[in-house]
Every structure is written in structure tokens, then in C-alpha cells.
């Protein structure tokens, strides 16, 4: 939920940002005594361009010499799990005192106070009101000694400066675009900055009342359907602004009649030159030898520390979960943050729907071939198929080993029976029947989610940018067929297919594609009545995604010599970072305009790091709130450590990766999880293999706070011990790098004072 602000607030923001007038939170705002310069500063551009050129020359990126060890053998893990289950076979609250005392010794309960607390909890009939629980002790792992990180202080200082510089870069772009940035990390960076950092203003703390949620975590119910009144007269008023795209970025003016510089609204966006410079800095950092060694050692330490934490505290964590009534894995809220709408159903579901449609709507005209309409029955007759002939095998939509490293074959699996016409009829929103069948099957999936109650999804729908009316058609599809559920939010994915459209003469240049994507969004924000269905639909859209085969070779390096979008007329596809920058820049302007109008803002959550060159993950780190996949982080220890410190969400899909780019047993998800990266398990394509009040009801009223205070085990089923461990470990890592910089600052001040004293003494 976003908050509106007055135009005066926005006019205080800078319009074009340069090295002198920079984004909110830029490192130039640091105290003057802090020097983040390293020996690499003078070589950033050369190193970055050399690295870009190397990725163009190599079709596949070589594995870095940092391969991490696998987990313990499965037999040992299974044996330990069975032993733990036997030892805690009975729920704590139902055991007599004698067993509680026996278990106290086994669980290493720290005092009789803990024993008394467990007894009181087991006897209390009313668990609806949760009182504040003091921080519980658990077995902590600590490292003593002066050099705790295992590297000389000079290497630590150089690495700390590089890491802090990278974190400031990310914070700058997150603050500018109104996307969220980890509060814990921001607090540590604040200690090195003179002025307050721009934090996420969209996430507010909402007190828990009977009007927002009950103790069981049910979100507030609304009897009114959100799409039932698309009347333009009921929409917010027209602001009267005019819009025009200049050099690939949308500009907003106070009036539609005079689109001139003097009438332009002061809505900030990133400067291209500054972005290229920041990207060169990031590219140089990730290949800095001492920094790579430091980050690799810290990642190994985090893995080992987590294994030690599990060894020492697993019993307490399991006991805490067993004490909570009703909650387990199956009845906590789960959100699939990476799932495509066109494949959100499984194969059996789609097969049943197709057979039912053939029996129920055999004479519906569903397709036009050479000016002549075809009924659904006629379409199948041309394929010599009947409803009886169809099976999961004949659908042939299961991704097998033939799709491995073959993205083209994987995309072909979206075609039922290998026929693109069936894909158009059944799983497209823009077709002859206006997406009727696709809307019905999505609503069936929604009904299943609502029946399960605890499952929620963020479905991805496509906007291609080939024509200006795509947004209106998509919104009309959603409103006409009432495709809505409280368990579903939408993300809009933009396929990176400019080269295809340009080859077919559907577009003249890249800016035309950007205008087709963003112009309707600015128009509906300025005047909701101009696109009433789109205004309603956008209330349930949370962000943008950028999708396509990342392994395709890129023929161009994004730098200051790259053509502007209006001049990109060649048939080659722009590189990944080019797409992401212009999506981010336009989304940033749009977010400030929508916040000014009091509408929900959007985030950028692209497919990133599934394959291809490593600089995709650099762009994702700088511009994206979260990413999907992130497999290549396993080859880049510096980026992996930065993603951990910034707590960037990564939606991972091991089953999807197993069919495309990485075998299941090599998937890095368990390793990322053990190190503390923010990962979620997503399905991606079941067919082939933000909303603050709701978050408050699912996670508790304190979910925006830090550490153990944010957790309510009655809702999350996550033990306070685990939350405290994650929080303390992150703080220790952040303190390690910030303390090194502060120590160097103090030593520099002492040296300067001693030199001044010596100079003054010599004069005397």
C-alpha cells in the first residue's frame, strides 16, 4: 500500500541526477572523513569493458574455481531426522512434569524459568492473545580474537570499502524508484552517512484490530467485487497532465497543450551516464581478487555457522514448533512468487477442461482461418482428433530431457498436441473469443486456491509492446470474465523480443516498443476515466517482470556509445541491461506519479541469473527489488555475498531448472538457504513440470520490524530462535565491514592529529 504525497514534495526531488546532484542516499553524502576509494577506481571502465567483451566471445561462461561442498550424505541426514522425531514424539504441552524435566535436560533448557514457562503455556486455554516474550537464550557460535575474518586488516578494509560502495549503489536506486531496501542493512549504512537514507515509504505498520484481521490470520473480507463498477464517472478526476517520451524515458508535463521543458513536472529518474558508471564500478568489484577471496571465505563461514546452529539448537526449534496449536507447514500462508498464468494449471486439469469444452461448446466459433470461422469441433476435426483420443500423453506438454539447454523446445511445450492454434484458443487472453476459455480455466485454478485457503500465487501475464492497445485488451479480459481472487495478484512480464518484432516490421525502433508498454500506464494514472478497466486491473498488479532465454548471445555492450531507444533500428536485440535500465527508468517516473495520485506503486522483479553472462545479476542487484532464479550466483561469490547483505529475494524453481539449465542435485537452493540468502521455492510452470493489510493478517502486526520482534510463531510456524539467529548473523556481517571502515577512519584521524602536533611542536 502506498502513501500519497503533495506535488511540493515531489518538486523537491531532483529531476536529472548527476555526480554533483545525485540520487537520494548516494555515497557522496558520506562523511568526508570516510574514504571508499580503492586501487581499482582508475581502472573500472577498462576492466568492465574487457569483461563484457569476454562474455561476448564465449558462448558459455566458464565455471569459477569456487565450487562449494555438498551437504552431508543423505543417510546421515535421514538417520538424524528419525532420531530427533523419536526424541520429540510427544507434544510438550501434553507431557507431565517428570517428562518435562527429563526433556529440559535433553533440550538444554537454560533455567527453571523456561520450564515454568512451558508448563504455563501447556495449561493456558486461551492462546489468542500473545504477550511479548522476552528474548530466549539459545546456543550461539562466536569467534574470538582480533582478526575474526581470517584475512589481514588491509584486505578486510579494501573488501569492506568495495562491499559498502556496492550496497550504497543499490540503496540509491531502490530509494529513487520507491522499491524496498532491507531496513537492517540501511541502518548500518546510515552510520556511515551524514544524511538520512531514503527507505521504502510504501510499507507501513498497521495496528492489528478486529477490522483488519483476527487471531487466526484471516485477511479482512469484502463483499464487493473489485471489478463490478468500471464506470468512468466513479473514477478519480483527471489531473490534466500531458506525457511524452524523450530518449526512451517518459516525461510528464503540467498541461497537454504545451509539452515543453518549462512545464515539465519534477519527477526524478536515473541519469544514463551515472548508471553506466555505477555498472562499471560493479563489474570491476566482482572480479577484484582480494574481494572475491574475502566474500568466498565469509560465505563458507556462514554455511558452517548454520550447520553448527542446527546441531546445537535444532531440538529447541522443533519443540517451539510443536508447542504452537494448529500451525504446521500445510496451514501457514504460502505465496508462489514465480508462476506463469499460461501454465499455472497442471496437465490433467488442462486436459479435463479441453474435453469439457469440446462437449459443452462444440459449435462455438473459436478461430478464423483465411477469413472463414471455425468451430471448436472443426478445429479438432482438422487434426483428426476426438475428445476420446485426448490424453496427457497426446497433449505432450511435459518438459523432458529433450528441453535441456533448448529454450526453443521448452517454449514449444506450451502448445497442446504441438499445435499453436490450441495454445491461442485455450491459454491466450487476446484471441477471437476474447480469452473466454483461458479466463474460465484461470478461475478454476483460483477456486482451488480459495478452497485450500492457505495457498496464494502471483500470476504473470504478458504485455509484448507490439501495439498500444495491449493493456486495454488485457484489462478488459480480466474485468469482463471477472478473473479475480483474493488469493491472486498479478505481475506483468515483458518478453525481450524486440528483434523478432523488428524483423517482422511490426516496430520501427525500440522506443516505439517502450511507448506501447508505458504510455497507457501514464495515461490511466493521469486520467483513470480514460481507461476505466485498466485502472481497476492495476489495483491488483504488483510489478514488472522481464523474461526470455538468458542464454542467447548478446551482440552489443551497453555503454554510453549505445544508440538511444529512438535510434535503435537494427534487427539485433538490445542487451539484457539495456532492457532493464529503460524498464526501470520508466517505472521510476511512473511510481512517483502514481504515489502523487495516491495509487499503488510497482516493483521490478525480473528473471535474472538463470543462464547467460554474469552481468545480468549485476543489473538485477542495482535495479530490481527481487529476482527469479539466480542460479549463476553460485559462480560469483562477491555477488552472492552482496545479495545476502542486501537481503534480496530470490524465487527459485529447482524442477524448472532441472528441465532447462541445471540438474536437480546441483541446484544451489539448499546452499543459499544455509547461508541466509532470502530464497523462496516457486513452481514456475506447473503445466510443464504486496498488499500490506493482508501481510499484516498473515504475519502479524509487527512484521515490518527487525529481528525476533517481527515474528509471530502462531502465524509463521518459524521458531523465534531461528529468526533471532538470522538477524544476529546478518548484523554481525554488516558490523564486520562497517567497523573496518570506522576503524580506518579513526586511525586516519589519529595520524592527522599526530602530524599536526608534530608540525606545531617543530615550529616551537
Amino acid at each position: 500500500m502506498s502513501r500519497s504525497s503533495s506535488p511540493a514534495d515531489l518538486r523537491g526531488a531532483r529531476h536529472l541526477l548527476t555526480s554533483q546532484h545525485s540520487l537520494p542516499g548516494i555515497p557522496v553524502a558520506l562523511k568526508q572523513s570516510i574514504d571508499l576509494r580503492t586501487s581499482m577506481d582508475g581502472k573500472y571502465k577498462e576492466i568492465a569493458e574487457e569483461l563484457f567483451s569476454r562474455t561476448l566471445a564465449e558462448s558459455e561462461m566458464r565455471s569459477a574455481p569456487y565450487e562449494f561442498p555438498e551437504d552431508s550424505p543423505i543417510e546421515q541426514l535421514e538417520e538424524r531426522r528419525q532420531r530427533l522425531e523419536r526424541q520429540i514424539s510427544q507434544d510438550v504441552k501434553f507431557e507431565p512434569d517428570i517428562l518435562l524435566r527429563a526433556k529440559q535436560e535433553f533440550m538444554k533448557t537454560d533455567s527453571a524459568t523456561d520450564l515454568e514457562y512451558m508448563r504455563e503455556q501447556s495449561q493456558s486455554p486461551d492462546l489468542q492473545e500473545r504477550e511479548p516474550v522476552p528474548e530466549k537464550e539459545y546456543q550461539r557460535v562466536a569467534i574470538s580474537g582480533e582478526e575474526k575474518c581470517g584475512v589481514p586488516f588491509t584486505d578486510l578494509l579494501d573488501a569492506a570499502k568495495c562491499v559498502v560502495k556496492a550496497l550504497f549503489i543499490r540503496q540509491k536506486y531502490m530509494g529513487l524508484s520507491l522499491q524496498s531496501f532491507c531496513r537492517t542493512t540501511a541502518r548500518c549504512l546510515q552510520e556511515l552517512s551524514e544524511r538520512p537514507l531514503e527507505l521504502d515509504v510504501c510499507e507501513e505498520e498497521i495496528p492489528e484490530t478486529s477490522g483488519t484481521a483476527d487471531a487466526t490470520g484471516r485477511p479482512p473480507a469484502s463483499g464487493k467485487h473489485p471489478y463490478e463498477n468500471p464506470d468512468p464517472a466513479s473514477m478519480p478526476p483527471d489531473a490534466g497532465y500531458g506525457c511524452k517520451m524523450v530518449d526512451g524515458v517518459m516525461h510528464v508535463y503540467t498541461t497537454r497543450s504545451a509539452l515543453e521543458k518549462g512545464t515539465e513536472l519534477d519527477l526524478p529518474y536515473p541519469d544514463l551516464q551515472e548508471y553506466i558508471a555505477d555498472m562499471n564500478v560493479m563489474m570491476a568489484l566482482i572480479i577484484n581478487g582480494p574481494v572475491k577471496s574475502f566474500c568466498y571465505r565469509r560465505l563458507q563461514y556462514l554455511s558452517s555457522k548454520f550447520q553448527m546452529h542446527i546441531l546445537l539448537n535444532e531440538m529447541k526449534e522443533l519443540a517451539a514448533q510443536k508447542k504452537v496449536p494448529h500451525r504446521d507447514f500445510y496451514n501457514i500462508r504460502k505465496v508462489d512468487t514465480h508462476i506463469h498464468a499460461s501454465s499455472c494449471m497442471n496437465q490433467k486439469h488442462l486436459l479435463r477442461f479441453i474435453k469439457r469444452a469440446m462437449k459443452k461448446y462444440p459449435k462455438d466459433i473459436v478461430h478464423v482461418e483465411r477469413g472463414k470461422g471455425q468451430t471448436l469441433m472443426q478445429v479438432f476435426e482438422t487434426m483428426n482428433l476426438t475428445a476420446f483420443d485426448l490424453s496427457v500423453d497426446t497433449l505432450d506438454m511435459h518438459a523432458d530431457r529433450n528441453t535441456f539447454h533448448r529454450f526453443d523446445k521448452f517454449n514449444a511445450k506450451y502448445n497442446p498436441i504441438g499445435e499453436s492454434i490450441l495454445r491461442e484458443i485455450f491459454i491466450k487472453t487476446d484471441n477471437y473469443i476474447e480469452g473466454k476459455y483461458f479466463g474460465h480455466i484461470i478461475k478454476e485454478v483460483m477456486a482451488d486456491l480459495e478452497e485450500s485457503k492457505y495457498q496464494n500465487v502471483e500470476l504473470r501475464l504478458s504485455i509484448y509492446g507490439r501495439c498500444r492497445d495491449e493493456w486495454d485488451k488485457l484489462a478488459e479480459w480480466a474485468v469482463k470474465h471477472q478473473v479475480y481472487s483474493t488469493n491472486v495478484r498479478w505481475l506483468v512480464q515483458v518478453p525481450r523480443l524486440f528483434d523478432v518484432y523488428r524483423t517482422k516490421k511490426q516496430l520501427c525502433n525500440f522506443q516505439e516498443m517502450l511507448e506501447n508498454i508505458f504510455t497507457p500506464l501514464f495515461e490511466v494514472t493521469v486520467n483513470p476515466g480514460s481507461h476505466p478497466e485498466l485502472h481497476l486491473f492495476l489495483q491488483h498488479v504488483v510489478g514488472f517482470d522481464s523474461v526470455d532465454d538468458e542464454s542467447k548471445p548478446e551482440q552489443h555492450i551497453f555503454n554510453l556509445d549505445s544508440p538511444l531507444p529512438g535510434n535503435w533500428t537494427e534487427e539485433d536485440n538490445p542487451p539484457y541491461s539495456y532492457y532493464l535500465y529503460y524498464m526501470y527508468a520508466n517505472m521510476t517516473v511512473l511510481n512517483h506519479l502514481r504515489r502523487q495520485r495516491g495509487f499503488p506503486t510497482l516493483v521490478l522483479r525480473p528473471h535474472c541469473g538463470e543462464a547467460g553472462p554474469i552481468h545480468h545479476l549485476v543489473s538485477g542487484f542495482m535495479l530490481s527489488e527481487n529476482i527469479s532464479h539466480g542460479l549463476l550466483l553460485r559462480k560469483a561469490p562477491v555477488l552472492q555475498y552482496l545479495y545476502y547483505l542486501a537481503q534480496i529475494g530470490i524465487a527459485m524453481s529447482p524442477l524448472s531448472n532441472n528441465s532447462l539449465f541445471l540438474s536437480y542435485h546441483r541446484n544451489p537452493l539448499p546452499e543459499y538457504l544455509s547461508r541466509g540468502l532470502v530464497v523462496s521455492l516457486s513452481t514456475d510452470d506447473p503445466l510443464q513440470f504486496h498488499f500490506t493489510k493482508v501481510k499484516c493478517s498473515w504475519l502479524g502486526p509487527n512484521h515490518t520490524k527487525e529481528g525476533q520482534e517481527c515474528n509471530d510463531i502462531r502465524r509463521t510456524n518459524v521458531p523465534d530462535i531461528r529468526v533471532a539467529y538470522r538477524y544476529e548473523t546478518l548484523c554481525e556481517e554488516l558490523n564486520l565491514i562497517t567497523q573496518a571502515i570506522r576503524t580506518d577512519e579513526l586511525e586516519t584521524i589519529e595520524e592527522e592529529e599526530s602530524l599536526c602536533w608534530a608540525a606545531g611542536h617543530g615550529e616551537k
Side-chain angles (χ1 to χ4, degrees):
M1 179 177 294
S2 63
R3 296 186 303 181
S4 61
S5 61
S6 65
D9 296 335
L10 293 174
R11 292 184 182 277
R14 277 168 293 279
H15 175 58
L16 256 178
L17 302 161
T18 64
S19 57
Q20 289 80 20
H21 300 85
S22 53
L23 310 183
I26 193 170
V28 297
L30 302 176
K31 297 178 182 178
Q32 296 300 320
S33 57
I34 299 177
D35 184 11
L36 294 180
R37 291 177 297 175
T38 68
S39 58
M40 301 295 295
D41 282 351
K43 303 179 181 179
Y44 284 150
K45 184 176 181 180
E46 293 83 355
I47 294 175
E49 290 187 352
E50 179 183 353
L51 193 59
F52 275 122
S53 301
R54 196 180 307 162
T55 60
L56 294 179
E58 299 175 357
S59 59
E60 293 184 0
M61 186 172 184
R62 295 191 183 98
S63 297
Y66 300 98
E67 291 296 337
F68 308 133
E70 295 185 357
D71 288 337
S72 304
I74 295 177
E75 293 82 1
Q76 297 180 15
L77 294 174
E78 190 63 28
E79 180 182 349
R80 185 174 65 176
R81 184 178 290 106
Q82 292 176 358
R83 184 171 65 252
L84 294 175
E85 290 176 353
R86 288 196 301 269
Q87 290 167 344
I88 313 183
S89 58
Q90 298 293 327
D91 196 303
V92 174
K93 64 182 181 182
F94 293 121
E95 296 180 6
D97 287 357
I98 182 96
L99 287 180
L100 277 175
R101 295 189 180 279
K103 183 169 289 188
Q104 176 193 18
E105 177 62 25
F106 177 72
M107 291 168 47
K108 303 191 183 308
T109 305
D110 299 293
S111 64
T113 306
D114 284 348
L115 180 65
E116 183 64 26
Y117 173 77
M118 281 190 276
R119 183 186 295 111
E120 290 176 358
Q121 290 294 308
S122 65
Q123 295 173 355
S124 175
D126 183 13
L127 295 175
Q128 296 297 315
E129 294 296 330
R130 187 194 187 205
E131 298 180 358
V133 179
E135 182 178 348
K136 302 195 72 174
E137 288 297 321
Y138 65 94
Q139 302 298 318
R140 290 171 170 82
V141 179
I143 306 297
S144 61
E146 293 185 358
E147 294 185 354
K148 297 182 181 180
C149 63
V151 298
F153 180 75
T154 54
D155 287 352
L156 169 61
L157 180 60
D158 195 44
K161 288 181 177 180
C162 292
V163 168
V164 168
K165 182 179 294 186
L167 291 174
F168 269 116
I169 288 175
R170 172 171 171 81
Q171 189 279 326
K172 171 176 64 175
Y173 288 101
M174 292 299 100
L176 178 69
S177 59
L178 306 182
Q179 299 184 87
S180 64
F181 185 79
C182 176
R183 293 177 182 272
T184 305
T185 308
R187 180 168 44 79
C188 290
L189 294 180
Q190 182 66 71
E191 298 174 2
L192 302 177
S193 179
E194 264 184 357
R195 64 194 232 187
L197 300 180
E198 293 287 337
L199 296 177
D200 172 33
V201 297
C202 300
E203 197 168 284
E204 305 174 13
E205 294 182 19
I206 298 180
E208 183 177 21
T209 65
S210 59
T212 58
D214 59 24
T216 61
R218 295 191 182 100
S222 175
K224 182 180 179 181
H225 196 285
Y227 295 157
E228 71 179 16
N229 187 22
D231 182 10
S234 65
M235 304 290 172
D238 182 5
Y241 299 152
C243 305
K244 182 176 69 173
M245 184 165 285
V246 179
D247 293 337
V249 180
M250 193 68 74
H251 292 243
V252 183
Y253 304 87
T254 55
T255 63
R256 298 189 181 99
S257 57
L259 304 182
E260 301 173 352
K261 189 74 174 178
T263 63
E264 185 175 351
L265 282 182
D266 205 355
L267 303 177
Y269 63 89
D271 179 43
L272 177 60
Q273 184 174 357
E274 186 175 358
Y275 169 75
I276 295 295
D278 288 338
M279 192 164 186
N280 289 339
V281 170
M282 291 295 305
M283 294 299 295
L285 294 185
I286 65 175
I287 64 169
N288 185 314
V291 179
K292 278 203 293 189
S293 298
F294 170 78
C295 294
Y296 173 74
R297 294 173 72 93
R298 298 313 299 170
L299 291 171
Q300 292 293 82
Y301 166 73
L302 290 172
S303 294
S304 302
K305 184 178 181 180
F306 180 73
Q307 297 303 324
M308 185 63 70
H309 169 81
I310 292 296
L311 183 65
L312 296 175
N313 297 288
E314 191 169 21
M315 304 304 303
K316 275 191 172 182
E317 291 182 349
L318 290 173
Q321 288 179 309
K322 285 180 171 286
K323 285 168 54 180
V324 178
H326 179 64
R327 287 284 179 240
D328 55 31
F329 174 79
Y330 295 98
N331 56 23
I332 57 173
R333 260 70 185 187
K334 296 172 285 292
V335 182
D336 193 332
T337 57
H338 177 198
I339 179 170
H340 300 274
S342 58
S343 59
C344 66
M345 72 296 296
N346 59 47
Q347 297 173 61
K348 189 64 177 177
H349 187 173
L350 179 60
L351 176 66
R352 287 198 306 264
F353 182 86
I354 292 176
K355 287 187 173 184
R356 191 163 63 248
M358 291 176 68
K359 294 178 180 178
K360 193 173 181 180
Y361 312 109
K363 296 185 179 181
D364 280 7
I365 297 178
V366 297
H367 180 66
V368 176
E369 185 71 22
R370 297 177 182 177
K372 183 180 179 181
Q374 284 185 316
T375 66
L376 185 60
M377 187 60 65
Q378 289 172 339
V379 169
F380 278 93
E381 286 175 353
T382 59
M383 304 174 191
N384 296 321
L385 288 173
T386 65
F388 180 78
D389 297 325
L390 295 178
S391 67
V392 168
D393 293 331
T394 55
L395 280 183
D396 192 26
M397 304 185 76
H398 184 71
D400 51 28
R401 301 306 299 175
N402 293 323
T403 63
F404 199 72
H405 281 283
R406 289 294 303 274
F407 206 85
D408 55 338
K409 288 189 174 181
F410 180 80
N411 279 338
K413 290 293 182 179
Y414 278 88
N415 298 328
I417 323 176
E419 297 286 346
S420 60
I421 184 176
L422 295 183
R423 178 180 184 177
E424 178 187 336
I425 293 171
F426 286 101
I427 52 179
K428 288 285 187 180
T429 60
D430 182 17
N431 52 28
Y432 184 81
I433 55 175
E434 299 178 336
K436 171 184 174 182
Y437 294 159
F438 187 48
H440 284 183
I441 195 169
I442 292 293
K443 291 173 72 173
E444 290 180 4
V445 172
M446 290 176 169
D448 292 340
L449 293 171
E450 292 170 358
E451 184 178 1
S452 69
K453 179 181 175 182
Y454 298 103
Q455 298 181 42
N456 306 269
V457 297
E458 292 178 336
L459 296 178
R460 281 160 167 77
L461 295 167
S462 294
I463 289 292
Y464 300 94
R466 290 173 295 191
C467 55
R468 193 71 60 89
D469 62 354
E470 290 180 6
W471 278 104
D472 286 328
K473 290 181 178 179
L474 181 61
E476 288 168 5
W477 166 81
V479 173
K480 177 179 179 180
H481 300 291
Q482 302 282 286
V483 187
Y484 167 80
S485 170
T486 56
N487 294 58
V488 174
R489 291 295 183 271
W490 305 104
L491 266 89
V492 172
Q493 61 184 22
V494 180
R496 298 187 297 276
L497 297 176
F498 170 78
D499 54 339
V500 177
Y501 310 146
R502 183 72 185 96
T503 302
K504 295 180 178 180
K505 310 298 182 184
Q506 295 176 331
L507 295 173
C508 297
N509 53 58
F510 190 74
Q511 178 158 309
E512 186 179 350
M513 181 177 179
L514 291 173
E515 289 175 341
N516 292 339
I517 295 170
F518 287 100
T519 299
L521 298 180
F522 279 87
E523 290 176 351
V524 73
T525 302
V526 170
N527 181 16
S530 63
H531 305 266
E533 291 86 0
L534 181 56
H535 174 72
L536 296 176
F537 178 69
L538 285 178
Q539 307 305 308
H540 309 284
V541 175
V542 297
F544 290 100
D545 190 358
S546 178
V547 299
D548 195 26
D549 181 8
E550 288 191 70
S551 65
K552 291 193 301 188
E554 297 180 354
Q555 306 298 329
H556 187 86
I557 300 173
F558 186 26
N559 53 34
L560 292 177
D561 298 327
S562 301
L564 291 171
N567 298 327
W568 193 292
T569 58
E570 54 191 282
E571 294 182 356
D572 290 335
N573 212 24
Y576 181 92
S577 54
Y578 192 94
Y579 271 99
L580 221 59
Y581 169 77
Y582 283 104
M583 286 186 65
Y584 168 88
N586 284 283
M587 187 194 75
T588 297
V589 181
L590 179 65
N591 276 349
H592 282 274
L593 180 63
R594 290 184 67 81
R595 187 179 71 166
Q596 176 185 345
R597 297 281 285 154
F599 301 150
T601 56
L602 304 169
V603 299
L604 183 59
R605 288 166 41 187
H607 283 49
C608 185
E610 185 178 17
I614 206 71
H615 66 77
H616 293 188
L617 285 164
V618 173
S619 301
F621 175 81
M622 293 171 59
L623 305 179
S624 308
E625 184 175 272
N626 300 325
I627 66 169
S628 297
H629 294 300
L631 296 179
L632 291 181
L633 286 175
R634 75 189 194 280
K635 297 183 178 181
V638 177
L639 277 175
Q640 188 179 146
Y641 190 59
L642 288 173
Y643 271 70
Y644 163 69
L645 293 178
Q647 293 289 280
I648 300 174
I650 308 171
M652 304 192 69
S653 312
L655 287 178
S656 173
N657 301 144
N658 184 62
S659 297
L660 271 172
F661 294 110
L662 190 68
S663 300
Y664 186 79
H665 71 280
R666 296 180 56 204
N667 196 282
L669 188 149
E671 196 68 43
Y672 291 176
L673 181 64
S674 69
R675 289 170 177 166
L677 278 77
V678 181
V679 295
S680 66
L681 188 64
S682 62
T683 52
D684 196 355
D685 300 280
L687 185 60
Q688 284 80 5
F689 27 71
H690 292 336
F691 22 145
T692 310
K693 284 188 179 181
V694 179
K695 279 186 178 179
C696 186
S697 64
W698 288 350
L699 304 179
N702 299 325
H703 72 279
T704 59
K705 297 184 178 180
E706 299 179 44
Q708 179 183 335
E709 190 178 2
C710 77
N711 186 50
D712 185 348
I713 191 174
R714 299 177 309 159
R715 292 175 163 90
T716 65
N717 203 38
V718 178
D720 287 344
I721 291 175
R722 177 65 60 86
V723 177
Y725 164 78
R726 294 295 193 191
Y727 176 70
E728 292 173 11
T729 302
L730 176 61
C731 289
E732 288 173 6
E733 292 297 313
L734 291 168
N735 288 335
L736 176 68
I737 59 175
T738 55
Q739 186 63 39
I741 295 176
R742 287 196 296 267
T743 301
D744 180 65
E745 176 190 6
L746 293 175
E747 291 178 352
T748 303
I749 294 174
E750 291 174 358
E751 290 177 2
E752 291 175 352
E753 289 178 349
S754 62
L755 290 174
C756 292
W757 181 87
H761 186 70
E763 291 177 0
K764 291 180 180 179

